[in-house]
Amino acid sequence: MKGEGFVAEVYCYIPAGKVEYVVECGVKLSEWHDKEVVINGFKKKCITALLNPKDDMDKYHNKDFVCVKLEVPNNY
């Protein structure tokens, strides 16, 4: 059962040239969001993430992208 502190592991592809920046600064929602959805009447910025890196085979085989694992707290 999922409890407090549970962390979901998801994956996101970033341009290879941005890896050092992301490792240093993280994946900032304000910078990396790729869509907006309405939740409870409010627009929320979102980052599309994958459950498995192979869920996007085009980027999986593309040397221009690097897959990073994001650990997202349960309440997000």
Side-chain angles (χ1 to χ4, degrees), residues 51-63:
L51 297 177
N52 184 310
K54 290 184 177 181
D55 287 342
D56 187 336
M57 291 302 289
D58 291 334
K59 288 183 180 172
Y60 183 79
H61 291 293
N62 189 334
K63 300 280 186 204

Side-chain angles (χ1 to χ4, degrees), residues 21-54:
Y21 175 80
V22 167
V23 169
E24 185 176 318
C25 301
V27 179
K28 297 177 184 177
L29 183 59
S30 61
E31 184 176 345
W32 292 94
H33 76 281
D34 58 348
K35 69 166 74 175
E36 291 186 358
V37 297
V38 177
I39 300 174
N40 295 325
F42 296 96
K43 274 189 174 181
K44 300 285 186 175
K45 294 178 180 179
C46 301
I47 297 172
T48 303
L50 308 168
L51 297 177
N52 184 310
K54 290 184 177 181

Side-chain angles (χ1 to χ4, degrees), residues 1-9 71-76:
M1 177 171 243
K2 298 176 186 176
E4 290 292 320
F6 175 78
V7 175
E9 293 179 352
E71 295 179 345
V72 182
N74 189 35
N75 57 339
Y76 288 97

